[in-house]
Short mmCIF file of all heavy atoms in Angstrom, two decimals:
data_model
loop_
_atom_site.label_atom_id
_atom_site.label_comp_id
_atom_site.label_asym_id
_atom_site.label_seq_id
_atom_site.Cartn_x
_atom_site.Cartn_y
_atom_site.Cartn_z
N VAL O 151 4.97 55.27 -93.82
CA VAL O 151 6.28 55.81 -93.47
C VAL O 151 6.22 56.49 -92.11
O VAL O 151 7.08 56.27 -91.24
CB VAL O 151 6.80 56.78 -94.55
CG1 VAL O 151 8.05 57.52 -94.07
CG2 VAL O 151 7.12 56.02 -95.84
N LEU O 152 5.22 57.33 -91.90
CA LEU O 152 5.08 58.02 -90.62
C LEU O 152 4.98 57.02 -89.47
O LEU O 152 5.63 57.17 -88.43
CB LEU O 152 3.86 58.94 -90.62
CG LEU O 152 3.93 60.18 -91.50
CD1 LEU O 152 2.60 60.92 -91.49
CD2 LEU O 152 5.06 61.09 -91.07
N TYR O 154 6.03 53.89 -89.44
CA TYR O 154 7.31 53.17 -89.31
C TYR O 154 8.33 54.02 -88.55
O TYR O 154 9.01 53.53 -87.65
CB TYR O 154 7.85 52.80 -90.69
CG TYR O 154 9.16 52.05 -90.62
CD1 TYR O 154 9.17 50.68 -90.34
CD2 TYR O 154 10.37 52.70 -90.80
CE1 TYR O 154 10.37 49.99 -90.25
CE2 TYR O 154 11.57 52.01 -90.72
CZ TYR O 154 11.56 50.65 -90.44
OH TYR O 154 12.75 49.98 -90.34
N VAL O 155 8.41 55.30 -88.88
CA VAL O 155 9.37 56.18 -88.21
C VAL O 155 8.99 56.34 -86.74
O VAL O 155 9.87 56.34 -85.86
CB VAL O 155 9.44 57.56 -88.91
CG1 VAL O 155 10.27 58.56 -88.11
CG2 VAL O 155 10.03 57.39 -90.32
N LEU O 156 7.71 56.41 -86.46
CA LEU O 156 7.25 56.53 -85.07
C LEU O 156 7.61 55.28 -84.26
O LEU O 156 8.10 55.38 -83.14
CB LEU O 156 5.74 56.77 -85.03
CG LEU O 156 5.11 56.91 -83.64
CD1 LEU O 156 5.63 58.18 -82.96
CD2 LEU O 156 3.60 56.96 -83.75
N GLU O 157 7.37 54.11 -84.84
CA GLU O 157 7.60 52.85 -84.12
C GLU O 157 9.07 52.45 -84.05
O GLU O 157 9.47 51.75 -83.13
CB GLU O 157 6.80 51.72 -84.77
CG GLU O 157 5.31 51.85 -84.55
CD GLU O 157 4.53 50.73 -85.19
OE1 GLU O 157 5.13 49.88 -85.89
OE2 GLU O 157 3.31 50.69 -84.99
N ASN O 158 9.87 52.87 -85.00
CA ASN O 158 11.29 52.50 -85.06
C ASN O 158 12.11 53.76 -84.84
O ASN O 158 12.45 54.45 -85.78
CB ASN O 158 11.62 51.87 -86.41
CG ASN O 158 10.84 50.60 -86.62
OD1 ASN O 158 11.25 49.55 -86.19
ND2 ASN O 158 9.69 50.71 -87.27
N LYS O 159 12.39 54.04 -83.61
CA LYS O 159 13.07 55.29 -83.24
C LYS O 159 14.32 55.53 -84.09
O LYS O 159 15.19 54.68 -84.18
CB LYS O 159 13.44 55.27 -81.76
CG LYS O 159 12.28 55.02 -80.83
CD LYS O 159 11.27 56.14 -80.88
CE LYS O 159 10.15 55.89 -79.88
NZ LYS O 159 8.88 56.27 -80.35
N GLU O 160 14.35 56.69 -84.71
CA GLU O 160 15.49 57.17 -85.50
C GLU O 160 15.94 56.21 -86.61
O GLU O 160 17.12 55.93 -86.76
CB GLU O 160 16.68 57.47 -84.58
CG GLU O 160 16.38 58.45 -83.48
CD GLU O 160 17.57 58.68 -82.57
OE1 GLU O 160 18.71 58.50 -83.01
OE2 GLU O 160 17.34 59.06 -81.41
N PRO O 161 15.01 55.72 -87.43
CA PRO O 161 15.45 54.83 -88.50
C PRO O 161 16.27 55.58 -89.55
O PRO O 161 16.17 56.80 -89.68
CB PRO O 161 14.14 54.32 -89.10
CG PRO O 161 13.18 55.43 -88.84
CD PRO O 161 13.58 56.01 -87.51
N LEU O 162 17.05 54.81 -90.27
CA LEU O 162 17.82 55.36 -91.38
C LEU O 162 16.94 55.40 -92.62
O LEU O 162 15.95 54.66 -92.72
CB LEU O 162 19.05 54.50 -91.65
CG LEU O 162 20.03 54.33 -90.50
CD1 LEU O 162 21.12 53.33 -90.87
CD2 LEU O 162 20.64 55.66 -90.12
N MET O 163 17.33 56.21 -93.59
CA MET O 163 16.60 56.27 -94.87
C MET O 163 16.53 54.88 -95.50
O MET O 163 15.50 54.48 -96.00
CB MET O 163 17.30 57.23 -95.83
CG MET O 163 17.31 58.68 -95.37
SD MET O 163 15.77 59.51 -95.71
CE MET O 163 15.94 59.77 -97.45
N LYS O 164 17.65 54.15 -95.45
CA LYS O 164 17.67 52.82 -96.08
C LYS O 164 16.73 51.85 -95.36
O LYS O 164 16.19 50.94 -95.97
CB LYS O 164 19.09 52.26 -96.14
CG LYS O 164 19.69 51.89 -94.81
CD LYS O 164 21.06 51.29 -94.97
CE LYS O 164 21.59 50.86 -93.61
NZ LYS O 164 22.83 50.16 -93.69
N ASP O 165 16.51 52.05 -94.04
CA ASP O 165 15.57 51.20 -93.30
C ASP O 165 14.15 51.37 -93.83
O ASP O 165 13.41 50.40 -93.97
CB ASP O 165 15.61 51.52 -91.81
CG ASP O 165 16.94 51.25 -91.16
OD1 ASP O 165 17.67 50.36 -91.64
OD2 ASP O 165 17.26 51.93 -90.16
N VAL O 166 13.79 52.61 -94.11
CA VAL O 166 12.46 52.89 -94.66
C VAL O 166 12.31 52.23 -96.03
O VAL O 166 11.29 51.60 -96.32
CB VAL O 166 12.20 54.42 -94.74
CG1 VAL O 166 10.89 54.70 -95.46
CG2 VAL O 166 12.20 55.03 -93.35
N ALA O 167 13.32 52.36 -96.86
CA ALA O 167 13.29 51.74 -98.19
C ALA O 167 13.14 50.23 -98.08
O ALA O 167 12.31 49.63 -98.79
CB ALA O 167 14.56 52.09 -98.97
N ALA O 177 12.31 55.97 -101.89
CA ALA O 177 12.11 56.32 -100.49
C ALA O 177 12.47 57.78 -100.25
O ALA O 177 11.77 58.49 -99.52
CB ALA O 177 12.93 55.40 -99.59
N THR O 178 13.56 58.22 -100.85
CA THR O 178 13.99 59.61 -100.70
C THR O 178 12.93 60.56 -101.22
O THR O 178 12.59 61.56 -100.56
CB THR O 178 15.33 59.84 -101.43
OG1 THR O 178 16.32 58.99 -100.85
CG2 THR O 178 15.78 61.29 -101.32
N ILE O 181 10.00 60.55 -98.77
CA ILE O 181 10.37 61.23 -97.53
C ILE O 181 10.51 62.73 -97.75
O ILE O 181 10.12 63.53 -96.89
CB ILE O 181 11.64 60.59 -96.93
CG1 ILE O 181 11.28 59.21 -96.39
CG2 ILE O 181 12.25 61.46 -95.84
CD1 ILE O 181 12.44 58.30 -96.09
N ASN O 182 11.02 63.13 -98.90
CA ASN O 182 11.14 64.57 -99.22
C ASN O 182 9.79 65.27 -99.09
O ASN O 182 9.69 66.37 -98.57
CB ASN O 182 11.70 64.79 -100.62
CG ASN O 182 13.18 64.56 -100.70
OD1 ASN O 182 13.88 64.50 -99.69
ND2 ASN O 182 13.68 64.42 -101.92
N LEU O 184 7.26 64.35 -97.25
CA LEU O 184 6.87 64.39 -95.83
C LEU O 184 7.68 65.44 -95.07
O LEU O 184 7.14 66.10 -94.17
CB LEU O 184 7.02 63.01 -95.19
CG LEU O 184 6.01 61.97 -95.69
CD1 LEU O 184 6.41 60.58 -95.23
CD2 LEU O 184 4.62 62.32 -95.19
N VAL O 185 8.93 65.60 -95.42
CA VAL O 185 9.76 66.63 -94.79
C VAL O 185 9.23 68.01 -95.19
O VAL O 185 9.06 68.90 -94.34
CB VAL O 185 11.25 66.47 -95.18
CG1 VAL O 185 12.06 67.69 -94.76
CG2 VAL O 185 11.83 65.20 -94.56
N MET O 189 6.06 66.89 -91.66
CA MET O 189 5.69 65.67 -90.93
C MET O 189 6.91 64.92 -90.39
O MET O 189 6.82 64.24 -89.38
CB MET O 189 4.90 64.72 -91.83
CG MET O 189 3.65 65.33 -92.42
SD MET O 189 2.46 65.69 -91.14
CE MET O 189 1.61 67.04 -91.88
N LEU O 190 8.01 65.03 -91.10
CA LEU O 190 9.26 64.36 -90.71
C LEU O 190 10.39 65.38 -90.70
O LEU O 190 10.32 66.40 -91.38
CB LEU O 190 9.63 63.25 -91.70
CG LEU O 190 8.81 61.99 -91.74
CD1 LEU O 190 9.35 61.05 -92.82
CD2 LEU O 190 8.78 61.29 -90.40
N LYS O 191 11.42 65.04 -89.94
CA LYS O 191 12.66 65.82 -89.97
C LYS O 191 13.81 64.85 -90.20
O LYS O 191 13.77 63.71 -89.75
CB LYS O 191 12.88 66.55 -88.64
CG LYS O 191 12.03 67.77 -88.47
CD LYS O 191 12.47 68.57 -87.28
CE LYS O 191 11.64 69.84 -87.20
NZ LYS O 191 12.04 70.66 -86.08
N ARG O 192 14.82 65.36 -90.90
CA ARG O 192 16.05 64.60 -91.12
C ARG O 192 17.11 65.12 -90.16
O ARG O 192 17.21 66.33 -89.95
CB ARG O 192 16.58 64.81 -92.53
CG ARG O 192 15.83 64.14 -93.61
CD ARG O 192 16.63 64.34 -94.90
NE ARG O 192 15.96 63.72 -96.00
CZ ARG O 192 15.19 64.37 -96.87
NH1 ARG O 192 15.03 65.66 -96.76
NH2 ARG O 192 14.61 63.73 -97.85
N HIS O 193 17.88 64.20 -89.61
CA HIS O 193 19.03 64.58 -88.78
C HIS O 193 20.24 63.83 -89.31
O HIS O 193 20.20 62.62 -89.47
CB HIS O 193 18.79 64.23 -87.31
CG HIS O 193 17.78 65.12 -86.66
ND1 HIS O 193 18.09 66.37 -86.20
CD2 HIS O 193 16.46 64.93 -86.41
CE1 HIS O 193 16.99 66.91 -85.69
NE2 HIS O 193 15.99 66.06 -85.81
N PHE O 194 21.29 64.59 -89.59
CA PHE O 194 22.53 63.99 -90.08
C PHE O 194 23.40 63.60 -88.90
O PHE O 194 23.49 64.32 -87.92
CB PHE O 194 23.27 64.98 -91.00
CG PHE O 194 22.52 65.30 -92.25
CD1 PHE O 194 21.62 66.37 -92.30
CD2 PHE O 194 22.67 64.52 -93.38
CE1 PHE O 194 20.92 66.65 -93.45
CE2 PHE O 194 21.96 64.80 -94.54
CZ PHE O 194 21.09 65.86 -94.57
N ASP O 195 24.04 62.46 -89.02
CA ASP O 195 24.97 61.99 -87.99
C ASP O 195 26.14 62.97 -87.88
O ASP O 195 26.68 63.41 -88.90
CB ASP O 195 25.46 60.58 -88.38
CG ASP O 195 26.27 59.95 -87.29
OD1 ASP O 195 27.46 60.30 -87.17
OD2 ASP O 195 25.72 59.11 -86.56
N LYS O 196 26.53 63.30 -86.66
CA LYS O 196 27.62 64.26 -86.44
C LYS O 196 28.95 63.73 -86.97
O LYS O 196 29.78 64.49 -87.44
CB LYS O 196 27.75 64.57 -84.95
CG LYS O 196 26.58 65.33 -84.40
CD LYS O 196 26.67 65.47 -82.90
CE LYS O 196 25.38 66.06 -82.37
NZ LYS O 196 25.33 66.03 -80.92
N ASN O 197 29.15 62.41 -86.89
CA ASN O 197 30.42 61.82 -87.31
C ASN O 197 30.46 61.42 -88.78
O ASN O 197 31.53 61.33 -89.37
CB ASN O 197 30.73 60.59 -86.44
CG ASN O 197 30.84 60.96 -84.98
OD1 ASN O 197 31.36 62.01 -84.63
ND2 ASN O 197 30.32 60.10 -84.13
N ASP O 198 29.28 61.17 -89.36
CA ASP O 198 29.24 60.73 -90.75
C ASP O 198 27.99 61.32 -91.41
O ASP O 198 26.88 60.83 -91.19
CB ASP O 198 29.22 59.19 -90.81
CG ASP O 198 29.33 58.65 -92.23
OD1 ASP O 198 29.17 59.43 -93.19
OD2 ASP O 198 29.57 57.44 -92.37
N ARG O 199 28.16 62.36 -92.19
CA ARG O 199 27.03 63.06 -92.80
C ARG O 199 26.26 62.21 -93.81
O ARG O 199 25.18 62.58 -94.24
CB ARG O 199 27.51 64.35 -93.47
CG ARG O 199 28.16 65.29 -92.53
CD ARG O 199 27.46 66.56 -92.20
NE ARG O 199 26.62 67.18 -93.19
CZ ARG O 199 25.46 67.74 -92.87
NH1 ARG O 199 25.02 67.71 -91.65
NH2 ARG O 199 24.74 68.32 -93.80
N ARG O 200 26.84 61.08 -94.18
CA ARG O 200 26.11 60.19 -95.10
C ARG O 200 24.97 59.47 -94.39
O ARG O 200 24.05 58.98 -95.02
CB ARG O 200 27.07 59.15 -95.70
CG ARG O 200 28.12 59.75 -96.62
CD ARG O 200 29.11 58.70 -97.03
NE ARG O 200 29.80 58.22 -95.84
CZ ARG O 200 30.68 57.23 -95.81
NH1 ARG O 200 30.98 56.60 -96.93
NH2 ARG O 200 31.27 56.86 -94.70
N ILE O 201 25.04 59.39 -93.07
CA ILE O 201 24.01 58.71 -92.28
C ILE O 201 22.92 59.72 -91.94
O ILE O 201 23.17 60.73 -91.29
CB ILE O 201 24.61 58.10 -91.00
CG1 ILE O 201 25.64 57.02 -91.37
CG2 ILE O 201 23.51 57.53 -90.12
CD1 ILE O 201 26.38 56.44 -90.19
N ILE O 202 21.71 59.42 -92.40
CA ILE O 202 20.56 60.31 -92.17
C ILE O 202 19.52 59.55 -91.34
O ILE O 202 19.04 58.50 -91.76
CB ILE O 202 19.93 60.76 -93.50
CG1 ILE O 202 20.98 61.46 -94.36
CG2 ILE O 202 18.74 61.67 -93.24
CD1 ILE O 202 20.53 61.71 -95.78
N ARG O 203 19.19 60.10 -90.22
CA ARG O 203 18.15 59.53 -89.35
C ARG O 203 16.87 60.35 -89.50
O ARG O 203 16.92 61.55 -89.76
CB ARG O 203 18.61 59.51 -87.91
CG ARG O 203 19.83 58.64 -87.71
CD ARG O 203 19.93 58.14 -86.29
NE ARG O 203 21.03 57.19 -86.19
CZ ARG O 203 20.92 55.89 -86.40
NH1 ARG O 203 19.77 55.37 -86.74
NH2 ARG O 203 21.96 55.10 -86.28
N LEU O 204 15.75 59.69 -89.33
CA LEU O 204 14.45 60.34 -89.48
C LEU O 204 13.72 60.42 -88.15
O LEU O 204 13.78 59.49 -87.35
CB LEU O 204 13.60 59.58 -90.49
CG LEU O 204 14.19 59.47 -91.89
CD1 LEU O 204 13.41 58.46 -92.71
CD2 LEU O 204 14.20 60.83 -92.56
N PHE O 205 13.03 61.53 -87.96
CA PHE O 205 12.22 61.75 -86.77
C PHE O 205 10.86 62.25 -87.20
O PHE O 205 10.75 63.06 -88.12
CB PHE O 205 12.85 62.82 -85.88
CG PHE O 205 14.18 62.42 -85.30
CD1 PHE O 205 15.35 62.63 -86.02
CD2 PHE O 205 14.25 61.82 -84.06
CE1 PHE O 205 16.58 62.26 -85.50
CE2 PHE O 205 15.48 61.46 -83.54
CZ PHE O 205 16.65 61.67 -84.26
N ILE O 206 9.83 61.79 -86.52
CA ILE O 206 8.48 62.29 -86.80
C ILE O 206 8.25 63.54 -85.95
O ILE O 206 8.67 63.62 -84.80
CB ILE O 206 7.41 61.20 -86.54
CG1 ILE O 206 6.04 61.64 -87.07
CG2 ILE O 206 7.36 60.81 -85.07
CD1 ILE O 206 5.02 60.52 -87.14
N THR O 207 7.61 64.53 -86.55
CA THR O 207 7.32 65.78 -85.84
C THR O 207 5.98 65.65 -85.11
O THR O 207 5.21 64.70 -85.34
CB THR O 207 7.24 66.95 -86.83
OG1 THR O 207 6.13 66.73 -87.71
CG2 THR O 207 8.54 67.11 -87.62
#
Side-chain angles (χ1 to χ4, degrees):
V151 170
L152 290 175
Y154 180 81
V155 171
L156 180 66
E157 289 180 355
N158 298 274
K159 305 295 183 218
E160 304 178 25
L162 301 174
M163 296 279 284
K164 69 177 183 174
D165 297 332
V166 173
T178 299
I181 289 165
N182 284 345
L184 290 168
V185 169
M189 303 294 152
L190 290 179
K191 283 190 177 181
R192 286 187 181 99
H193 289 279
F194 295 90
D195 187 281
K196 292 173 188 171
N197 300 322
D198 187 347
R199 300 249 329 140
R200 293 173 297 175
I201 297 175
I202 303 169
R203 298 205 174 271
L204 300 169
F205 295 86
I206 190 167
T207 64

